[in-house]
Amino acid sequence: MATASAGVAAVLSPLCGRDFLSSADCSAEQTAALLDLAAQLKSGDRRIDLGNRVLGLIFSKASTRTRVSFQVAMARLGGQTVDLNPSVTQLGRGEPLEDTSRVLSRYCDVLAIRTFAQQELVDYAHWASVPVINALTDLEHPCQALADFLTMQEAHGALPGQTLAYVGDGNNVAHSLMLCGALLGVNVRIGCPEGFEPLPGVLEQAQSLAQHGASIELVADPGEAVAGAQAVYTDVWASMGQEAEQAQREQAFAGFCVDQALMDQAAADAIVLHCLPAHRGEEISAEVMEGTASRIFDQAENRLHAQQALLAVLMGGL
C-alpha cells in the first residue's frame, strides 16, 4: 500500500494550492488518482492529518449533502470549518466580492463556494490567495461527479469502457458527468428532451477530453440512452431557481422517468444513481430508488470520501 500511496501522491502533488472550479481542472491521470485516494481514505488504508487547517464555506444556495460532507471531511482531516452564510455575514449586505475573498484568504486555508453564476466563483478564485473549490454552480457540480464515478468504480471495477447513461435535464450535474467521465474513459450518454440539452460548448469540451476512446453523446430517447449501460443516473427535472418551471418541465419530461421498464433496457447488473434530493414518482420511481440496483445512498456517502481526498490534495496533505 505504501508504494500505491506514493504513486498517488506523485500524480496529485501538482494540484497543491490550486483551485478546483471544474471537472476539467484535473488531468485524466489526476482524476483517476483522486478516486484512488478517496477509496484509500474510505477503507481506512490511508489517514491524513492537515493539522487544524480551516475550511470556509460560502453557500448562497441551500445544501444538505454538500455542506455536511465538507464539514465532516474537514473534521476527519483534523481541521475545522467556518460557515460563512451570506445571510449572517457582510456578504449579504453588499460587501464587494474582491474584499471578502482577500480577507477570508487571511483566515482560511481553503474556500468552498456554492452559488449560482460560474463567473462569481471564478471571481472569488481570482481574488483569493488560497484554493477555491466549486461546491456547485449553475454550470457545474464537479465534486458530485467525483463521488458518482467512485461509486461506479466500486460497483464494476476499472472505469474505462464502462457506460453511464444520464436521463433528464442537461444541467450542471450532466455537464460535470460528461467532463469527468471523458477524463476517466467512461462512455457518457445524455438522454434529454429537445430544449433541455447540455450546453454545446461543454459537450464539445468533453468530447475533446475523452480518454481510452470514450464516447460522449447526446440522444433524445431515454431508451437509447440507457441501452446496455452499467449505470443509469437521473436528477430532478427542476433545479434550484427553476421551481416556477415545474409544471412545464413535468410535461416536457414525460417518458423520462427512470422506472423498472427503463432499467430493463440497461445492462443486467446496472446500478442506479441520483444526486439527491429525489422526487419519487417524477424523475425516478420509488421501486427503482429502493430496489436492489440502487447505489444512491452509497453515492451520497462517497461525497464525503471524494471531498476529503480533494481537500487533502489542495492543501498539501500528501
Side-chain angles (χ1 to χ4, degrees):
M1 181 55 67
T3 301
S5 297
V8 166
V11 172
L12 293 175
S13 59
L15 294 177
C16 177
R18 286 179 40 188
D19 301 318
F20 184 66
L21 310 184
S22 165
S23 292
D25 284 345
C26 295
S27 69
E29 189 178 20
Q30 288 166 342
T31 304
L34 272 172
L35 298 190
D36 290 341
L37 177 59
Q40 291 172 14
L41 291 165
K42 182 176 182 178
S43 68
D45 290 334
R46 184 80 178 270
R47 293 188 65 84
I48 296 173
D49 190 334
L50 291 177
N52 208 34
R53 305 282 182 89
V54 178
L55 162 67
L57 298 182
I58 303 176
F59 280 26
S60 300
K61 284 189 172 186
S63 171
T64 298
R65 279 152 295 279
T66 303
R67 183 186 300 278
V68 176
S69 58
F70 265 116
Q71 289 178 321
V72 176
M74 198 64 184
R76 291 192 177 188
L77 292 168
Q80 56 187 301
T81 303
V82 178
D83 191 346
L84 300 159
N85 189 323
S87 67
V88 295
T89 65
Q90 298 291 355
L91 284 169
R93 299 179 64 244
E95 181 173 21
L97 179 153
E98 56 266 33
D99 295 353
T100 299
S101 189
R102 285 180 285 185
V103 169
L104 293 180
S105 296
R106 307 291 182 101
Y107 301 148
C108 301
D109 300 287
V110 62
L111 299 173
I113 298 174
R114 183 179 178 94
T115 190
F116 293 87
Q118 181 78 8
Q119 187 58 50
E120 181 177 340
L121 177 76
V122 171
D123 291 344
Y124 267 110
H126 173 76
W127 290 104
S129 56
V130 298
V132 171
I133 297 172
N134 183 347
L136 179 143
T137 65
D138 288 345
L139 182 65
E140 275 203 61
H141 199 356
C143 292
Q144 178 67 57
L146 289 174
D148 300 337
F149 288 108
L150 176 60
T151 309
M152 275 190 75
Q153 185 171 275
E154 290 174 340
H156 294 306
L159 288 168
Q162 291 193 47
T163 296
L164 179 144
Y166 173 91
V167 178
D169 186 27
N171 59 14
N172 49 4
V173 171
H175 289 159
S176 287
L177 287 173
M178 290 191 298
L179 293 169
C180 190
L183 291 167
L184 292 167
V186 176
N187 304 309
V188 180
R189 293 194 209 116
I190 306 294
C192 56
E194 185 178 353
F196 296 90
E197 299 91 350
L199 292 175
V202 179
L203 175 62
E204 293 167 7
Q205 182 185 17
Q207 290 170 336
S208 71
L209 292 172
Q211 304 291 310
H212 305 286
S215 63
I216 313 298
E217 55 186 325
L218 179 63
V219 299
D221 178 70
E224 183 181 352
V226 307
Q230 282 73 46
V232 177
Y233 195 126
T234 191
D235 188 10
V236 294
W237 293 337
S239 299
M240 284 178 282
Q242 300 173 331
E243 290 81 4
E245 305 172 21
Q246 180 67 30
Q248 172 199 352
R249 285 172 172 265
E250 285 179 12
Q251 184 176 5
F253 284 90
F256 280 79
C257 177
V258 176
D259 55 17
Q260 193 56 53
L262 191 64
M263 286 302 301
D264 287 342
Q265 300 177 61
D269 59 351
I271 62 171
V272 175
L273 300 174
H274 192 307
C275 54
L276 299 176
H279 297 159
R280 292 167 174 81
E282 291 185 14
E283 76 277 0
I284 188 168
S285 71
E287 176 188 15
V288 168
M289 183 157 178
E290 303 296 345
T292 57
S294 176
R295 297 294 183 275
I296 292 169
F297 297 100
D298 294 334
Q299 175 190 7
E301 177 191 341
N302 283 338
R303 292 293 304 280
L304 165 63
H305 308 300
Q307 286 159 199
Q308 189 179 354
L310 182 64
L311 288 166
V313 168
L314 297 185
M315 287 187 282
L318 301 182

PDB file of all heavy atoms in Angstrom, residues 116-149:
ATOM      1  N   PHE A 116     -24.681  30.613  -7.741  1.00  0.00           N
ATOM      2  CA  PHE A 116     -25.423  30.491  -8.991  1.00  0.00           C
ATOM      3  C   PHE A 116     -24.496  30.613 -10.198  1.00  0.00           C
ATOM      4  O   PHE A 116     -24.243  29.655 -10.903  1.00  0.00           O
ATOM      5  CB  PHE A 116     -26.539  31.553  -9.030  1.00  0.00           C
ATOM      6  CG  PHE A 116     -27.617  31.321  -8.006  1.00  0.00           C
ATOM      7  CD1 PHE A 116     -27.486  31.825  -6.721  1.00  0.00           C
ATOM      8  CD2 PHE A 116     -28.750  30.586  -8.322  1.00  0.00           C
ATOM      9  CE1 PHE A 116     -28.469  31.605  -5.764  1.00  0.00           C
ATOM     10  CE2 PHE A 116     -29.740  30.357  -7.368  1.00  0.00           C
ATOM     11  CZ  PHE A 116     -29.602  30.866  -6.091  1.00  0.00           C
ATOM     12  N   ALA A 117     -23.942  31.783 -10.427  1.00  0.00           N
ATOM     13  CA  ALA A 117     -23.149  32.020 -11.635  1.00  0.00           C
ATOM     14  C   ALA A 117     -21.725  31.494 -11.496  1.00  0.00           C
ATOM     15  O   ALA A 117     -21.058  31.742 -10.488  1.00  0.00           O
ATOM     16  CB  ALA A 117     -23.110  33.518 -11.944  1.00  0.00           C
ATOM     17  N   GLN A 118     -21.248  30.804 -12.524  1.00  0.00           N
ATOM     18  CA  GLN A 118     -19.875  30.320 -12.539  1.00  0.00           C
ATOM     19  C   GLN A 118     -18.893  31.484 -12.481  1.00  0.00           C
ATOM     20  O   GLN A 118     -17.821  31.370 -11.870  1.00  0.00           O
ATOM     21  CB  GLN A 118     -19.632  29.493 -13.808  1.00  0.00           C
ATOM     22  CG  GLN A 118     -18.246  28.894 -13.940  1.00  0.00           C
ATOM     23  CD  GLN A 118     -18.032  27.652 -13.107  1.00  0.00           C
ATOM     24  OE1 GLN A 118     -18.971  27.120 -12.523  1.00  0.00           O
ATOM     25  NE2 GLN A 118     -16.813  27.154 -13.077  1.00  0.00           N
ATOM     26  N   GLN A 119     -19.252  32.616 -13.075  1.00  0.00           N
ATOM     27  CA  GLN A 119     -18.343  33.759 -13.078  1.00  0.00           C
ATOM     28  C   GLN A 119     -18.080  34.268 -11.676  1.00  0.00           C
ATOM     29  O   GLN A 119     -16.969  34.722 -11.365  1.00  0.00           O
ATOM     30  CB  GLN A 119     -18.909  34.888 -13.952  1.00  0.00           C
ATOM     31  CG  GLN A 119     -17.939  36.051 -14.135  1.00  0.00           C
ATOM     32  CD  GLN A 119     -16.620  35.620 -14.763  1.00  0.00           C
ATOM     33  OE1 GLN A 119     -16.598  34.932 -15.789  1.00  0.00           O
ATOM     34  NE2 GLN A 119     -15.498  36.023 -14.161  1.00  0.00           N
ATOM     35  N   GLU A 120     -19.082  34.193 -10.786  1.00  0.00           N
ATOM     36  CA  GLU A 120     -18.866  34.615  -9.409  1.00  0.00           C
ATOM     37  C   GLU A 120     -17.804  33.738  -8.751  1.00  0.00           C
ATOM     38  O   GLU A 120     -16.923  34.225  -8.034  1.00  0.00           O
ATOM     39  CB  GLU A 120     -20.171  34.547  -8.617  1.00  0.00           C
ATOM     40  CG  GLU A 120     -20.024  35.001  -7.173  1.00  0.00           C
ATOM     41  CD  GLU A 120     -21.333  34.995  -6.407  1.00  0.00           C
ATOM     42  OE1 GLU A 120     -22.404  35.016  -7.055  1.00  0.00           O
ATOM     43  OE2 GLU A 120     -21.287  34.955  -5.162  1.00  0.00           O
ATOM     44  N   LEU A 121     -17.872  32.442  -9.001  1.00  0.00           N
ATOM     45  CA  LEU A 121     -16.862  31.517  -8.484  1.00  0.00           C
ATOM     46  C   LEU A 121     -15.483  31.865  -9.036  1.00  0.00           C
ATOM     47  O   LEU A 121     -14.487  31.898  -8.299  1.00  0.00           O
ATOM     48  CB  LEU A 121     -17.251  30.087  -8.871  1.00  0.00           C
ATOM     49  CG  LEU A 121     -16.286  28.984  -8.474  1.00  0.00           C
ATOM     50  CD1 LEU A 121     -16.407  28.689  -6.980  1.00  0.00           C
ATOM     51  CD2 LEU A 121     -16.567  27.713  -9.288  1.00  0.00           C
ATOM     52  N   VAL A 122     -15.418  32.131 -10.327  1.00  0.00           N
ATOM     53  CA  VAL A 122     -14.155  32.496 -10.971  1.00  0.00           C
ATOM     54  C   VAL A 122     -13.597  33.777 -10.356  1.00  0.00           C
ATOM     55  O   VAL A 122     -12.378  33.906 -10.134  1.00  0.00           O
ATOM     56  CB  VAL A 122     -14.363  32.654 -12.487  1.00  0.00           C
ATOM     57  CG1 VAL A 122     -13.123  33.243 -13.159  1.00  0.00           C
ATOM     58  CG2 VAL A 122     -14.709  31.298 -13.122  1.00  0.00           C
ATOM     59  N   ASP A 123     -14.480  34.724 -10.064  1.00  0.00           N
ATOM     60  CA  ASP A 123     -14.035  35.977  -9.454  1.00  0.00           C
ATOM     61  C   ASP A 123     -13.483  35.741  -8.051  1.00  0.00           C
ATOM     62  O   ASP A 123     -12.452  36.335  -7.669  1.00  0.00           O
ATOM     63  CB  ASP A 123     -15.191  36.975  -9.398  1.00  0.00           C
ATOM     64  CG  ASP A 123     -15.597  37.486 -10.774  1.00  0.00           C
ATOM     65  OD1 ASP A 123     -14.806  37.318 -11.728  1.00  0.00           O
ATOM     66  OD2 ASP A 123     -16.711  38.031 -10.904  1.00  0.00           O
ATOM     67  N   TYR A 124     -14.140  34.904  -7.266  1.00  0.00           N
ATOM     68  CA  TYR A 124     -13.608  34.564  -5.950  1.00  0.00           C
ATOM     69  C   TYR A 124     -12.196  33.986  -6.082  1.00  0.00           C
ATOM     70  O   TYR A 124     -11.276  34.338  -5.340  1.00  0.00           O
ATOM     71  CB  TYR A 124     -14.510  33.547  -5.254  1.00  0.00           C
ATOM     72  CG  TYR A 124     -15.568  34.143  -4.360  1.00  0.00           C
ATOM     73  CD1 TYR A 124     -16.910  34.075  -4.721  1.00  0.00           C
ATOM     74  CD2 TYR A 124     -15.238  34.753  -3.162  1.00  0.00           C
ATOM     75  CE1 TYR A 124     -17.899  34.615  -3.907  1.00  0.00           C
ATOM     76  CE2 TYR A 124     -16.218  35.294  -2.343  1.00  0.00           C
ATOM     77  CZ  TYR A 124     -17.545  35.222  -2.715  1.00  0.00           C
ATOM     78  OH  TYR A 124     -18.516  35.760  -1.906  1.00  0.00           O
ATOM     79  N   ALA A 125     -12.049  33.065  -7.018  1.00  0.00           N
ATOM     80  CA  ALA A 125     -10.750  32.413  -7.199  1.00  0.00           C
ATOM     81  C   ALA A 125      -9.677  33.418  -7.629  1.00  0.00           C
ATOM     82  O   ALA A 125      -8.516  33.317  -7.222  1.00  0.00           O
ATOM     83  CB  ALA A 125     -10.876  31.291  -8.219  1.00  0.00           C
ATOM     84  N   HIS A 126     -10.078  34.382  -8.436  1.00  0.00           N
ATOM     85  CA  HIS A 126      -9.114  35.398  -8.903  1.00  0.00           C
ATOM     86  C   HIS A 126      -8.568  36.202  -7.734  1.00  0.00           C
ATOM     87  O   HIS A 126      -7.354  36.496  -7.674  1.00  0.00           O
ATOM     88  CB  HIS A 126      -9.792  36.329  -9.907  1.00  0.00           C
ATOM     89  CG  HIS A 126      -8.944  37.497 -10.311  1.00  0.00           C
ATOM     90  ND1 HIS A 126      -7.891  37.380 -11.195  1.00  0.00           N
ATOM     91  CD2 HIS A 126      -8.977  38.808  -9.932  1.00  0.00           C
ATOM     92  CE1 HIS A 126      -7.314  38.555 -11.352  1.00  0.00           C
ATOM     93  NE2 HIS A 126      -7.954  39.436 -10.596  1.00  0.00           N
ATOM     94  N   TRP A 127      -9.424  36.570  -6.805  1.00  0.00           N
ATOM     95  CA  TRP A 127      -9.005  37.440  -5.705  1.00  0.00           C
ATOM     96  C   TRP A 127      -8.464  36.672  -4.507  1.00  0.00           C
ATOM     97  O   TRP A 127      -7.750  37.245  -3.676  1.00  0.00           O
ATOM     98  CB  TRP A 127     -10.172  38.323  -5.272  1.00  0.00           C
ATOM     99  CG  TRP A 127     -10.515  39.357  -6.292  1.00  0.00           C
ATOM    100  CD1 TRP A 127     -11.577  39.342  -7.155  1.00  0.00           C
ATOM    101  CD2 TRP A 127      -9.781  40.544  -6.591  1.00  0.00           C
ATOM    102  NE1 TRP A 127     -11.554  40.438  -7.978  1.00  0.00           N
ATOM    103  CE2 TRP A 127     -10.456  41.208  -7.647  1.00  0.00           C
ATOM    104  CE3 TRP A 127      -8.613  41.121  -6.074  1.00  0.00           C
ATOM    105  CZ2 TRP A 127      -9.996  42.403  -8.186  1.00  0.00           C
ATOM    106  CZ3 TRP A 127      -8.168  42.322  -6.604  1.00  0.00           C
ATOM    107  CH2 TRP A 127      -8.856  42.949  -7.642  1.00  0.00           C
ATOM    108  N   ALA A 128      -8.781  35.398  -4.396  1.00  0.00           N
ATOM    109  CA  ALA A 128      -8.327  34.610  -3.244  1.00  0.00           C
ATOM    110  C   ALA A 128      -6.868  34.202  -3.410  1.00  0.00           C
ATOM    111  O   ALA A 128      -6.394  33.984  -4.529  1.00  0.00           O
ATOM    112  CB  ALA A 128      -9.191  33.368  -3.078  1.00  0.00           C
ATOM    113  N   SER A 129      -6.189  34.061  -2.297  1.00  0.00           N
ATOM    114  CA  SER A 129      -4.813  33.559  -2.317  1.00  0.00           C
ATOM    115  C   SER A 129      -4.730  32.145  -1.752  1.00  0.00           C
ATOM    116  O   SER A 129      -3.636  31.639  -1.491  1.00  0.00           O
ATOM    117  CB  SER A 129      -3.901  34.501  -1.519  1.00  0.00           C
ATOM    118  OG  SER A 129      -4.376  34.675  -0.196  1.00  0.00           O
ATOM    119  N   VAL A 130      -5.896  31.512  -1.555  1.00  0.00           N
ATOM    120  CA  VAL A 130      -5.984  30.112  -1.126  1.00  0.00           C
ATOM    121  C   VAL A 130      -6.827  29.357  -2.151  1.00  0.00           C
ATOM    122  O   VAL A 130      -7.542  29.976  -2.938  1.00  0.00           O
ATOM    123  CB  VAL A 130      -6.610  29.995   0.291  1.00  0.00           C
ATOM    124  CG1 VAL A 130      -5.741  30.695   1.320  1.00  0.00           C
ATOM    125  CG2 VAL A 130      -8.038  30.537   0.302  1.00  0.00           C
ATOM    126  N   PRO A 131      -6.761  28.030  -2.157  1.00  0.00           N
ATOM    127  CA  PRO A 131      -7.555  27.270  -3.131  1.00  0.00           C
ATOM    128  C   PRO A 131      -9.057  27.514  -2.966  1.00  0.00           C
ATOM    129  O   PRO A 131      -9.563  27.623  -1.844  1.00  0.00           O
ATOM    130  CB  PRO A 131      -7.201  25.815  -2.821  1.00  0.00           C
ATOM    131  CG  PRO A 131      -5.872  25.881  -2.155  1.00  0.00           C
ATOM    132  CD  PRO A 131      -5.874  27.147  -1.367  1.00  0.00           C
ATOM    133  N   VAL A 132      -9.749  27.582  -4.087  1.00  0.00           N
ATOM    134  CA  VAL A 132     -11.205  27.727  -4.118  1.00  0.00           C
ATOM    135  C   VAL A 132     -11.799  26.505  -4.802  1.00  0.00           C
ATOM    136  O   VAL A 132     -11.322  26.072  -5.860  1.00  0.00           O
ATOM    137  CB  VAL A 132     -11.618  29.011  -4.868  1.00  0.00           C
ATOM    138  CG1 VAL A 132     -13.129  29.053  -5.091  1.00  0.00           C
ATOM    139  CG2 VAL A 132     -11.159  30.245  -4.097  1.00  0.00           C
ATOM    140  N   ILE A 133     -12.836  25.940  -4.178  1.00  0.00           N
ATOM    141  CA  ILE A 133     -13.488  24.724  -4.674  1.00  0.00           C
ATOM    142  C   ILE A 133     -14.905  25.054  -5.123  1.00  0.00           C
ATOM    143  O   ILE A 133     -15.647  25.757  -4.423  1.00  0.00           O
ATOM    144  CB  ILE A 133     -13.532  23.639  -3.576  1.00  0.00           C
ATOM    145  CG1 ILE A 133     -12.120  23.224  -3.172  1.00  0.00           C
ATOM    146  CG2 ILE A 133     -14.328  22.425  -4.039  1.00  0.00           C
ATOM    147  CD1 ILE A 133     -12.085  22.298  -1.960  1.00  0.00           C
ATOM    148  N   ASN A 134     -15.286  24.520  -6.256  1.00  0.00           N
ATOM    149  CA  ASN A 134     -16.665  24.630  -6.747  1.00  0.00           C
ATOM    150  C   ASN A 134     -17.537  23.621  -6.000  1.00  0.00           C
ATOM    151  O   ASN A 134     -17.478  22.426  -6.249  1.00  0.00           O
ATOM    152  CB  ASN A 134     -16.707  24.368  -8.251  1.00  0.00           C
ATOM    153  CG  ASN A 134     -18.103  24.542  -8.838  1.00  0.00           C
ATOM    154  OD1 ASN A 134     -19.098  24.625  -8.113  1.00  0.00           O
ATOM    155  ND2 ASN A 134     -18.187  24.583 -10.156  1.00  0.00           N
ATOM    156  N   ALA A 135     -18.360  24.130  -5.084  1.00  0.00           N
ATOM    157  CA  ALA A 135     -19.282  23.275  -4.344  1.00  0.00           C
ATOM    158  C   ALA A 135     -20.665  23.248  -4.999  1.00  0.00           C
ATOM    159  O   ALA A 135     -21.608  22.747  -4.403  1.00  0.00           O
ATOM    160  CB  ALA A 135     -19.406  23.762  -2.901  1.00  0.00           C
ATOM    161  N   LEU A 136     -20.776  23.758  -6.191  1.00  0.00           N
ATOM    162  CA  LEU A 136     -21.925  23.763  -7.101  1.00  0.00           C
ATOM    163  C   LEU A 136     -22.139  25.169  -7.618  1.00  0.00           C
ATOM    164  O   LEU A 136     -22.140  26.137  -6.868  1.00  0.00           O
ATOM    165  CB  LEU A 136     -23.220  23.271  -6.436  1.00  0.00           C
ATOM    166  CG  LEU A 136     -24.490  23.271  -7.320  1.00  0.00           C
ATOM    167  CD1 LEU A 136     -25.376  22.072  -7.011  1.00  0.00           C
ATOM    168  CD2 LEU A 136     -25.298  24.563  -7.149  1.00  0.00           C
ATOM    169  N   THR A 137     -22.267  25.248  -8.939  1.00  0.00           N
ATOM    170  CA  THR A 137     -22.758  26.455  -9.608  1.00  0.00           C
ATOM    171  C   THR A 137     -23.801  25.998 -10.628  1.00  0.00           C
ATOM    172  O   THR A 137     -24.027  24.799 -10.815  1.00  0.00           O
ATOM    173  CB  THR A 137     -21.643  27.215 -10.355  1.00  0.00           C
ATOM    174  OG1 THR A 137     -21.152  26.390 -11.435  1.00  0.00           O
ATOM    175  CG2 THR A 137     -20.498  27.593  -9.429  1.00  0.00           C
ATOM    176  N   ASP A 138     -24.411  26.950 -11.302  1.00  0.00           N
ATOM    177  CA  ASP A 138     -25.378  26.588 -12.329  1.00  0.00           C
ATOM    178  C   ASP A 138     -24.708  25.893 -13.514  1.00  0.00           C
ATOM    179  O   ASP A 138     -25.376  25.219 -14.296  1.00  0.00           O
ATOM    180  CB  ASP A 138     -26.104  27.836 -12.835  1.00  0.00           C
ATOM    181  CG  ASP A 138     -27.087  28.393 -11.810  1.00  0.00           C
ATOM    182  OD1 ASP A 138     -27.417  27.679 -10.851  1.00  0.00           O
ATOM    183  OD2 ASP A 138     -27.516  29.560 -11.977  1.00  0.00           O
ATOM    184  N   LEU A 139     -23.396  26.038 -13.646  1.00  0.00           N
ATOM    185  CA  LEU A 139     -22.685  25.428 -14.772  1.00  0.00           C
ATOM    186  C   LEU A 139     -22.190  24.030 -14.465  1.00  0.00           C
ATOM    187  O   LEU A 139     -22.266  23.140 -15.328  1.00  0.00           O
ATOM    188  CB  LEU A 139     -21.509  26.310 -15.177  1.00  0.00           C
ATOM    189  CG  LEU A 139     -20.694  25.814 -16.375  1.00  0.00           C
ATOM    190  CD1 LEU A 139     -21.544  25.832 -17.648  1.00  0.00           C
ATOM    191  CD2 LEU A 139     -19.432  26.665 -16.556  1.00  0.00           C
ATOM    192  N   GLU A 140     -21.652  23.815 -13.250  1.00  0.00           N
ATOM    193  CA  GLU A 140     -21.027  22.529 -12.934  1.00  0.00           C
ATOM    194  C   GLU A 140     -21.232  22.121 -11.482  1.00  0.00           C
ATOM    195  O   GLU A 140     -21.479  22.961 -10.615  1.00  0.00           O
ATOM    196  CB  GLU A 140     -19.518  22.594 -13.218  1.00  0.00           C
ATOM    197  CG  GLU A 140     -19.148  22.300 -14.652  1.00  0.00           C
ATOM    198  CD  GLU A 140     -17.704  21.828 -14.748  1.00  0.00           C
ATOM    199  OE1 GLU A 140     -17.371  20.782 -14.144  1.00  0.00           O
ATOM    200  OE2 GLU A 140     -16.925  22.518 -15.416  1.00  0.00           O
ATOM    201  N   HIS A 141     -21.063  20.816 -11.255  1.00  0.00           N
ATOM    202  CA  HIS A 141     -21.060  20.250  -9.899  1.00  0.00           C
ATOM    203  C   HIS A 141     -19.948  19.197  -9.845  1.00  0.00           C
ATOM    204  O   HIS A 141     -20.204  17.994  -9.736  1.00  0.00           O
ATOM    205  CB  HIS A 141     -22.423  19.625  -9.606  1.00  0.00           C
ATOM    206  CG  HIS A 141     -22.717  19.426  -8.148  1.00  0.00           C
ATOM    207  ND1 HIS A 141     -21.801  19.711  -7.163  1.00  0.00           N
ATOM    208  CD2 HIS A 141     -23.830  18.945  -7.517  1.00  0.00           C
ATOM    209  CE1 HIS A 141     -22.336  19.426  -5.987  1.00  0.00           C
ATOM    210  NE2 HIS A 141     -23.551  18.978  -6.170  1.00  0.00           N
ATOM    211  N   PRO A 142     -18.686  19.631  -9.899  1.00  0.00           N
ATOM    212  CA  PRO A 142     -17.582  18.679 -10.078  1.00  0.00           C
ATOM    213  C   PRO A 142     -17.339  17.760  -8.889  1.00  0.00           C
ATOM    214  O   PRO A 142     -16.874  16.628  -9.080  1.00  0.00           O
ATOM    215  CB  PRO A 142     -16.379  19.585 -10.338  1.00  0.00           C
ATOM    216  CG  PRO A 142     -16.738  20.897  -9.716  1.00  0.00           C
ATOM    217  CD  PRO A 142     -18.213  21.027  -9.908  1.00  0.00           C
ATOM    218  N   CYS A 143     -17.617  18.211  -7.663  1.00  0.00           N
ATOM    219  CA  CYS A 143     -17.428  17.328  -6.504  1.00  0.00           C
ATOM    220  C   CYS A 143     -18.426  16.168  -6.551  1.00  0.00           C
ATOM    221  O   CYS A 143     -18.091  15.042  -6.161  1.00  0.00           O
ATOM    222  CB  CYS A 143     -17.595  18.108  -5.207  1.00  0.00           C
ATOM    223  SG  CYS A 143     -16.289  19.321  -4.917  1.00  0.00           S
ATOM    224  N   GLN A 144     -19.630  16.450  -7.025  1.00  0.00           N
ATOM    225  CA  GLN A 144     -20.626  15.396  -7.172  1.00  0.00           C
ATOM    226  C   GLN A 144     -20.140  14.338  -8.161  1.00  0.00           C
ATOM    227  O   GLN A 144     -20.270  13.132  -7.922  1.00  0.00           O
ATOM    228  CB  GLN A 144     -21.947  15.986  -7.655  1.00  0.00           C
ATOM    229  CG  GLN A 144     -23.056  14.972  -7.884  1.00  0.00           C
ATOM    230  CD  GLN A 144     -23.530  14.329  -6.609  1.00  0.00           C
ATOM    231  OE1 GLN A 144     -23.949  14.997  -5.677  1.00  0.00           O
ATOM    232  NE2 GLN A 144     -23.470  13.003  -6.545  1.00  0.00           N
ATOM    233  N   ALA A 145     -19.570  14.764  -9.271  1.00  0.00           N
ATOM    234  CA  ALA A 145     -19.116  13.818 -10.291  1.00  0.00           C
ATOM    235  C   ALA A 145     -18.032  12.893  -9.751  1.00  0.00           C
ATOM    236  O   ALA A 145     -18.007  11.699 -10.088  1.00  0.00           O
ATOM    237  CB  ALA A 145     -18.620  14.569 -11.524  1.00  0.00           C
ATOM    238  N   LEU A 146     -17.121  13.412  -8.925  1.00  0.00           N
ATOM    239  CA  LEU A 146     -16.099  12.548  -8.335  1.00  0.00           C
ATOM    240  C   LEU A 146     -16.744  11.429  -7.521  1.00  0.00           C
ATOM    241  O   LEU A 146     -16.345  10.261  -7.617  1.00  0.00           O
ATOM    242  CB  LEU A 146     -15.158  13.373  -7.454  1.00  0.00           C
ATOM    243  CG  LEU A 146     -14.197  14.332  -8.150  1.00  0.00           C
ATOM    244  CD1 LEU A 146     -13.452  15.172  -7.128  1.00  0.00           C
ATOM    245  CD2 LEU A 146     -13.214  13.578  -9.047  1.00  0.00           C
ATOM    246  N   ALA A 147     -17.745  11.774  -6.710  1.00  0.00           N
ATOM    247  CA  ALA A 147     -18.439  10.764  -5.912  1.00  0.00           C
ATOM    248  C   ALA A 147     -19.182   9.771  -6.794  1.00  0.00           C
ATOM    249  O   ALA A 147     -19.226   8.568  -6.505  1.00  0.00           O
ATOM    250  CB  ALA A 147     -19.408  11.442  -4.947  1.00  0.00           C
ATOM    251  N   ASP A 148     -19.741  10.251  -7.885  1.00  0.00           N
ATOM    252  CA  ASP A 148     -20.509   9.388  -8.787  1.00  0.00           C
ATOM    253  C   ASP A 148     -19.615   8.317  -9.418  1.00  0.00           C
ATOM    254  O   ASP A 148     -19.972   7.132  -9.455  1.00  0.00           O
ATOM    255  CB  ASP A 148     -21.152  10.237  -9.890  1.00  0.00           C
ATOM    256  CG  ASP A 148     -22.094  11.291  -9.345  1.00  0.00           C
ATOM    257  OD1 ASP A 148     -22.592  11.131  -8.213  1.00  0.00           O
ATOM    258  OD2 ASP A 148     -22.327  12.292 -10.052  1.00  0.00           O
ATOM    259  N   PHE A 149     -18.467   8.741  -9.916  1.00  0.00           N
ATOM    260  CA  PHE A 149     -17.597   7.765 -10.579  1.00  0.00           C
ATOM    261  C   PHE A 149     -16.872   6.877  -9.575  1.00  0.00           C
ATOM    262  O   PHE A 149     -16.532   5.726  -9.895  1.00  0.00           O
ATOM    263  CB  PHE A 149     -16.641   8.474 -11.533  1.00  0.00           C
ATOM    264  CG  PHE A 149     -17.345   8.996 -12.757  1.00  0.00           C
ATOM    265  CD1 PHE A 149     -17.559  10.350 -12.937  1.00  0.00           C
ATOM    266  CD2 PHE A 149     -17.845   8.118 -13.705  1.00  0.00           C
ATOM    267  CE1 PHE A 149     -18.238  10.835 -14.045  1.00  0.00           C
ATOM    268  CE2 PHE A 149     -18.529   8.578 -14.823  1.00  0.00           C
ATOM    269  CZ  PHE A 149     -18.728   9.935 -14.996  1.00  0.00           C
TER     270      PHE A 149
END
